[in-house]
Amino acid sequence: MLPQRDTCTLVDLLDRLLEKGLVLRADLIITIAGVPLIGLNLVATLAEMETMLKYGIFEGLDKTTREWALEHNQGIPFMEGEKALDKAYGSYRFDRGKKTAWKYGYIYVTDRRIFSWDKGLRRFLFEFRPEEVKAVKMEKRLYNEKERDELCIQFQDETSLFLHVERIRDFKKSIETVLSSFEV
Amino acid sequence: MNRNNEGRYLYSVLNRGIEAEFAEAGVNGARVYTVVYRDLTAVVHACSDRPETADGEDEAMEWILEHIRVVDLTTEKFGTVVPFAFGTIIKGDDEVVSEWLGENYAALKAELSRFEGKAEYSVQIFYEQELLSGEILKKNPGLQAQKEKLTGIPRGTAYLFERRLEQKIAEETEALISGLAAEYEARIRDCSDSVHSEEKKPRVPEEYKQKKLFVFLACLVQDSKVQELGELLDRINEREGICVRFIGPFAPYSFVSLEGI
């Protein structure tokens, strides 16, 4: 067997070139935390996250990311002065002409809007303002061959949102409270 | 260029004093030349002390290939070198490089003589789980009998037995593999000057991705022993369920160590 050196062995060389070889004393060499600037682009693409962290490239970035996440994960993105009236974990489904699947999340009712927020992904699952709502009513519907109460929120544009939560009657009251404060 | 913001990009150090300028261009088309201190030579190009950043991945790749080419070229022409990691720049001009060679003269000389007539190779040995499992079943009549019993019993019970059998085969494979790994490594060491176990998983071509790596070594091998190592790897490669990648020669990237430099 003869040793191979061709294009498909290039990657074997990369590990050597980027992580091995003679490295100079720190005060003589210009690099960012051990990785020369010149190679940054490539290293960033090829190296695993671990290696990057070992070199410290991402430490700054990572710290900022974590701080951001901490700050934003802690709370829900309430607007300044916005007051939460109710919160429930439940499922929701939109009806916009075609049926969509039930999804789960925390649903918040505030004095300004109703929304669901995904903490993990830090994004709104849905969000609407009282002005957009035409009517709220309780409906008996079938779910897994059993009848249950679902809260149907009809919007001005004729689409609907169905909610199912544990204390569905209380939740309906909370929503109605917000809606009524806007009707005045 | 002001001396204060000059730099020298480093490729390698040669074990002789050779004033030269290379016809072949270096990284990013740079002019490659040598800086000599007594019988040591650094291969460099002049640059600023603020390293450039490649414009995208393709260009970075291009630069890396250029670095490799210069290191390979110097090895070809002048024998084994001490290679530098890609993107190593020393602050200062030729004089600073020469001073650096002088300061580390003994260490560099020792390292270069250790590498004389040798090169680095990568040896990766893989196994194929299914082939080895089949072999284990064949050799072990007890397990074979268990497997045959599986047909004709209720599905639920069969499932449990199957899981147990799988686990048994996995254990046997594990034992077989660790035995082979120790044996192969010892035989490879016999052909090599020095061997490092690599910790990081290598990037391998597509055809190897389904296989499992169980021996991964960087070997410093004397030129006269390369054929012997190749023949040994051939024998290993012939074994059913085992396959070998033998790559090189490289400049001794994995073996350079100059404590304190």
Side-chain angles (χ1 to χ4, degrees):
Chain A
M1 181 181 281
L2 290 172
Q4 302 291 309
R5 265 290 299 267
D6 51 36
T7 42
C8 70
T9 63
L10 179 66
V11 286
D12 298 288
L13 258 170
L14 282 182
D15 283 337
R16 290 187 157 66
L17 270 168
L18 297 176
E19 293 178 15
K20 296 170 175 177
L22 191 53
V23 181
L24 291 174
R25 209 169 56 211
D27 58 331
L28 280 173
I29 185 181
I30 314 141
T31 60
I32 292 181
V35 170
L37 250 189
I38 221 168
L40 267 188
N41 286 337
L42 195 82
V43 173
T45 328
L46 295 176
E48 277 101 356
M49 203 69 178
E50 278 175 353
T51 324
M52 306 293 293
L53 282 170
K54 188 176 90 196
Y55 283 126
I57 294 174
F58 278 168
E59 264 164 27
L61 179 64
D62 194 54
K63 197 164 161 255
T64 343
T65 317
R66 259 186 253 150
E67 275 165 7
W68 192 89
L70 257 179
E71 189 183 315
H72 289 258
N73 250 342
Q74 245 175 19
I76 315 305
F78 291 124
M79 292 182 267
E80 215 177 292
E82 185 176 19
K83 262 187 3 213
L85 302 175
D86 205 349
K87 167 189 157 181
Y89 186 76
S91 51
Y92 68 92
R93 179 173 72 78
F94 272 99
D95 187 353
R96 286 173 173 146
K98 57 179 177 188
K99 273 199 166 181
T100 54
W102 287 96
K103 289 175 185 159
Y104 296 85
Y106 275 100
I107 302 159
Y108 298 84
V109 180
T110 78
D111 56 349
R112 294 184 204 178
R113 57 188 172 150
I114 292 138
F115 66 86
S116 182
W117 175 250
D118 186 326
K119 263 190 176 182
L121 296 171
R122 292 196 298 276
R123 61 177 183 139
F124 286 103
L125 298 170
F126 64 78
E127 179 189 18
F128 58 88
R129 307 175 67 81
E131 304 95 287
E132 296 171 55
V133 178
K134 198 163 123 190
V136 177
K137 52 186 183 191
M138 199 71 88
E139 286 183 8
K140 291 244 182 264
R141 299 174 79 95
L142 280 178
Y143 180 77
N144 278 349
E145 293 163 15
K146 271 189 199 153
E147 203 182 60
R148 69 172 189 186
D149 284 329
E150 285 173 14
L151 200 54
C152 170
I153 298 169
Q154 288 181 323
F155 297 104
Q156 306 287 0
D157 64 359
E158 300 304 325
T159 62
S160 314
L161 171 69
F162 294 92
L163 298 179
H164 180 76
V165 298
E166 195 63 31
R167 320 165 275 106
I168 197 157
R169 289 180 199 284
D170 292 345
F171 206 67
K172 180 169 179 267
K173 270 185 205 144
S174 303
I175 292 176
E176 282 165 346
T177 314
V178 183
L179 296 184
S180 62
S181 70
F182 271 80
E183 275 160 18
V184 185
Chain B
M1 204 188 273
N2 185 323
R3 191 190 153 148
N4 289 334
N5 48 37
E6 262 188 78
R8 293 291 181 270
Y9 181 97
L10 300 164
Y11 295 91
S12 54
V13 177
L14 320 177
N15 199 13
R16 49 208 275 195
I18 296 155
E19 301 242 9
E21 209 172 284
F22 288 68
E24 292 83 357
V27 171
N28 204 12
R31 186 182 66 91
V32 181
Y33 66 98
T34 61
V35 176
V36 180
Y37 175 86
R38 288 171 59 187
D39 55 349
L40 277 186
T41 301
V43 179
V44 304
H45 79 237
C47 60
S48 126
D49 69 353
R50 279 167 211 282
E52 293 168 68
T53 310
D55 185 17
E57 195 186 325
D58 288 348
E59 193 176 63
M61 195 55 133
E62 194 92 343
W63 289 5
I64 286 183
L65 287 174
E66 285 156 359
H67 180 105
I68 294 171
R69 209 163 53 216
V70 172
V71 173
D72 283 351
L73 196 75
T74 53
T75 309
E76 219 171 275
K77 280 191 179 164
F78 309 110
T80 309
V81 302
V82 162
F84 280 95
F86 173 77
T88 310
I89 295 169
I90 197 165
K91 268 189 227 173
D93 57 8
D94 292 353
E95 216 171 293
V96 174
V97 175
S98 172
E99 275 165 27
W100 179 81
L101 289 175
E103 272 170 37
N104 302 288
Y105 184 82
L108 284 166
K109 270 301 215 189
E111 205 63 351
L112 278 162
S113 68
R114 189 162 75 92
F115 295 147
E116 193 70 53
K118 293 165 200 161
E120 179 177 328
Y121 296 84
S122 176
V123 175
Q124 302 165 12
I125 310 182
F126 303 81
Y127 70 92
E128 283 177 79
Q129 178 84 57
E130 278 183 22
L131 289 176
L132 288 189
S133 306
E135 180 188 315
I136 283 163
L137 266 181
K138 244 186 256 167
K139 278 191 189 159
N140 197 324
L143 291 179
Q144 185 69 40
Q146 273 183 47
K147 193 182 164 99
E148 275 153 17
K149 255 194 258 165
L150 286 179
T151 41
I153 56 175
R155 251 169 68 190
T157 325
Y159 175 78
L160 281 176
F161 278 118
E162 212 174 327
R163 288 305 304 268
R164 240 180 265 166
L165 186 63
E166 270 170 20
Q167 204 186 334
K168 192 80 191 125
I169 293 172
E171 280 165 15
E172 296 280 330
T173 313
E174 187 77 19
L176 175 66
I177 281 303
S178 54
L180 288 178
E183 181 198 329
Y184 294 162
E185 199 175 319
R187 285 158 74 186
I188 290 165
R189 271 180 200 279
D190 284 344
C191 302
S192 311
D193 216 72
S194 181
V195 170
H196 279 180
S197 259
E198 304 257 29
E199 281 163 16
K200 219 180 131 192
K201 232 179 134 210
R203 307 181 182 100
V204 295
E206 206 54 49
E207 65 208 269
Y208 292 90
K209 290 207 169 127
Q210 296 308 314
K211 302 180 168 88
K212 290 189 174 156
L213 182 74
F214 71 109
V215 175
F216 186 21
L217 303 169
C219 309
L220 188 66
V221 185
Q222 225 148 40
D223 296 343
S224 59
K225 288 248 187 164
V226 174
Q227 198 186 336
E228 190 186 327
L229 178 59
E231 284 164 7
L232 165 66
L233 295 178
D234 267 333
R235 287 194 296 276
I236 295 174
N237 198 36
E238 275 163 20
R239 196 192 188 285
E240 173 96 344
I242 301 289
C243 82
V244 180
R245 281 187 90 208
F246 182 28
I247 302 148
F250 303 125
Y253 290 98
S254 307
F255 297 91
V256 187
S257 134
L258 298 175
E259 288 286 308
I261 287 199

